[in-house]
Amino acid sequence: MNSLLLQKLNAASPVKRDEIKKQYHKSPLMLRFVQFIEKQQNRFSTADAVIYIYEVRKSDKNFSAYQNRFYKLRKKLIESFGDVVASYQLPDEQQWLREGQMSMQKGKFKEAQRLLTKAETHCWRNNIFEILPEVIDALIQTNQALNTIDKNKVLHKKFPQALALYTDLSEAKNIVRKIYEVNLQQGIQATRSLYKRLAKLVVKNRTYPRFKLLYNFIAAYYKTGAGGKGYLQKTYAINRHIAVAQKLMNLYPHMPALHYTPGFLAGQFYRLHEIQALGYYNSLRYKEAAEVIAKLYAYVMQNNSAFSRLKNEVFFTNAIHMFTYAGVIKSQCRLRQTIWIL
């Protein structure tokens, strides 16, 4: 995240830099942060930035508190660049992993240990299995460098478990790819065996809600978009998938469903509400569909929206239909079929 911010600020025009400085002219800390970045060449560490901005020493007993303040300050500055930067902002766990690895390269092993420990904790909490084996391996190396090998006893036990979860998640993602292809070529009914395979992974990993969220999110998404008699007449099943996915996303607000990529939470939020709106639409519940799509429309159209990239023909076409039918409700109508690529 630090390197991305450095790249964007250095690439910004003088006018853009002036705009940012004017925007934060009453925030001396932010101005010091911008001043610090302008002095850097290729990269900078979080610790160095904290020391410069807050004028503290690393030995300060409240140094970690200053770091937390820095993260908020950095996020605020990133948001100043709008959705272009925000959409490429790495998820926190991945950023901590990268910064930890950079600290290791610089011989700052205590800093690396702190970052990697935080990354591991959050990976387990949010079911981030894409990078968990790498995080644990890096933390093991850091403990070895600090000669705190006793801490590795637990990590060596966790590593095979993390690896198994990574493998199962990768298999689940591959099944999703197959569901898309089979659905596209043969129709949604032909995907039943693939959903059964996905369900087995959910049962196998029942203590990790990521798999249940992925299953219900994908089932709702493709069955809503499939159209046809198979599911347009079974909207109750789709609504059940939506309800389960919504509940899990509320319980675990930082947990991904399918993708763990920059901006995944915004995309996930958008897709679930899009599914919900289309579910209402297919159920001929036009007023409710219009209410949901109106909220999405507001998010998409606001300045510097994380959803700006979703301003496309499919979104506007669906919105127009929902608004139209909400105004003039008909008992019978042909529902248009829309195919999405997830």
Side-chain angles (χ1 to χ4, degrees):
M1 195 181 302
N2 287 343
S3 58
L4 176 62
L5 182 56
L6 177 62
Q7 176 187 349
K8 291 297 180 181
L9 188 62
N10 286 341
S13 66
V15 174
K16 182 61 178 177
R17 291 193 189 191
D18 288 341
E19 287 178 359
I20 292 175
K21 290 175 183 177
K22 288 178 182 178
Q23 181 181 353
Y24 296 108
H25 70 281
K26 293 184 179 180
S27 174
L29 291 177
M30 184 65 81
L31 293 178
R32 283 184 63 80
F33 188 14
V34 173
Q35 185 183 54
F36 172 80
I37 296 176
E38 289 177 332
K39 293 180 179 180
Q40 308 308 307
Q41 296 298 320
N42 299 315
R43 59 179 60 179
F44 66 89
S45 70
T46 296
D48 289 341
V50 171
I51 292 170
Y52 184 91
I53 296 168
Y54 298 99
E55 299 180 291
V56 295
R57 295 184 178 183
K58 199 169 182 180
S59 58
D60 192 307
K61 64 178 181 179
N62 295 318
F63 192 78
S64 59
Y66 285 111
Q67 280 186 315
N68 289 331
R69 293 180 191 176
F70 167 77
Y71 292 138
K72 294 178 181 178
L73 194 70
R74 181 177 63 186
K75 182 180 179 182
K76 197 171 183 180
L77 182 56
I78 285 175
E79 290 173 350
S80 300
F81 287 95
D83 60 300
V84 176
V85 177
S87 63
Y88 289 98
Q89 181 179 332
L90 289 175
D92 287 341
E93 298 85 1
Q94 197 168 356
Q95 183 60 37
W96 294 330
L97 170 60
R98 285 197 177 187
E99 290 183 5
Q101 290 171 329
M102 288 174 59
S103 294
M104 288 172 65
Q105 292 174 4
K106 295 178 180 179
K108 299 180 179 180
F109 295 110
K110 286 189 176 180
E111 174 70 7
Q113 187 183 59
R114 185 189 67 79
L115 288 165
L116 293 169
T117 299
K118 182 160 64 168
E120 193 222 350
T121 300
H122 282 254
C123 279
W124 285 113
R125 180 185 302 163
N126 299 321
N127 287 200
I128 310 296
F129 305 129
E130 288 88 342
I131 63 171
L132 185 55
E134 187 177 5
V135 169
I136 293 176
D137 181 65
L139 189 52
I140 289 173
Q141 293 181 57
T142 302
N143 289 336
Q144 289 174 348
L146 291 170
N147 198 28
T148 54
I149 297 177
D150 287 344
K151 293 183 178 181
N152 286 342
K153 292 179 180 178
V154 175
L155 293 175
H156 285 307
K157 291 180 180 179
K158 287 182 177 180
F159 186 79
Q161 183 183 6
L163 204 57
L165 289 166
Y166 171 85
T167 301
D168 284 350
L169 182 61
S170 298
E171 182 182 351
K173 289 184 177 184
N174 182 251
I175 292 172
V176 172
R177 298 302 176 203
K178 291 177 180 177
I179 287 174
Y180 166 72
E181 293 177 3
V182 173
N183 178 40
L184 186 66
Q185 296 171 346
Q186 303 174 43
I188 194 66
Q189 298 294 342
T191 64
R192 287 182 176 179
S193 62
L194 292 171
Y195 278 108
K196 287 181 180 179
R197 286 177 55 190
L198 205 55
K200 288 181 179 179
L201 289 172
V202 176
V203 174
K204 179 183 176 183
N205 299 283
R206 60 173 62 87
T207 56
Y208 299 99
R210 171 85 182 272
F211 290 89
K212 188 175 182 179
L213 174 59
L214 186 151
Y215 176 86
N216 284 279
F217 193 93
I218 293 302
Y221 192 86
Y222 281 109
K223 291 175 183 179
T224 298
K229 295 181 180 179
Y231 286 100
L232 285 181
Q233 296 174 357
K234 296 181 180 179
T235 54
Y236 62 88
I238 296 173
N239 290 336
R240 186 173 63 248
H241 288 308
I242 294 173
V244 172
Q246 182 70 70
K247 181 179 179 180
L248 288 170
M249 286 173 62
N250 289 338
L251 288 172
Y252 308 97
H254 302 291
M255 185 172 70
L258 179 64
H259 300 301
Y260 178 66
T261 54
F264 76 90
L265 286 176
Q268 201 164 284
F269 173 89
Y270 175 91
R271 291 303 180 194
L272 184 68
H273 284 77
E274 179 187 47
I275 296 167
Q276 192 174 35
L278 289 166
Y280 284 140
Y281 183 76
N282 289 342
S283 303
L284 310 184
R285 296 162 65 179
Y286 302 124
K287 291 288 187 182
E288 291 160 293
E291 287 176 4
V292 176
I293 207 68
K295 292 179 182 178
L296 281 185
Y297 185 85
Y299 286 127
V300 169
M301 299 305 293
Q302 67 184 5
N303 293 331
N304 295 331
S305 170
F307 307 117
S308 292
R309 64 184 180 82
L310 296 167
K311 293 178 183 177
N312 54 50
E313 184 180 353
V314 173
F315 173 74
F316 289 119
T317 299
N318 287 335
I320 289 170
H321 281 160
M322 291 175 196
F323 291 143
T324 300
Y325 280 107
V328 184
I329 300 176
K330 299 180 180 181
S331 58
Q332 294 181 347
C333 64
R334 286 181 173 271
L335 301 179
R336 292 186 57 178
Q337 177 178 344
T338 306
I339 298 177
W340 299 285
I341 298 176
L342 187 62

